[in-house]
Amino acid sequence: MNLAEVDIHVKYRGNKLGHVESESLHVNRWGLEHVYGEIEFSELPSPDVAHLMKELAKGSVHFHTSVRVTGNFGLFFFHFPNIFK
């Protein structure tokens, strides 16, 4: 699968923490790709920082992500350009 564009938003308790864009990714069958970015914690209100610290102490934090991709799909020798968004 060839991804022309990947757009990822990361939120914590409804507040936007980060946004990552990537271009031209290729994912093999049963494979995965990583998109790296930075998260801004300066936007969090004080009560949410306290919740974040509690969750970090417990060992897991649940972030909400939304991912938008644009790309094409290939099956054997057939390619379907811009089949999904």
Side-chain angles (χ1 to χ4, degrees), residues 1-31:
M1 186 167 39
N2 293 316
L3 304 176
E5 179 184 346
V6 178
D7 188 12
I8 303 167
H9 292 268
V10 179
K11 291 184 178 182
Y12 178 73
R13 298 177 63 89
N15 295 305
K16 183 179 173 183
L17 295 180
H19 171 84
V20 178
E21 285 185 26
S22 178
E23 295 182 2
S24 302
L25 288 175
H26 176 77
V27 181
N28 292 322
R29 66 179 174 261
W30 301 108

Side-chain angles (χ1 to χ4, degrees), residues 48-64:
D48 289 343
V49 173
H51 287 283
L52 179 64
M53 293 300 144
K54 286 179 186 176
E55 288 185 10
L56 281 172
K58 290 180 183 177
S60 68
V61 179
H62 296 280
F63 293 108
H64 298 272

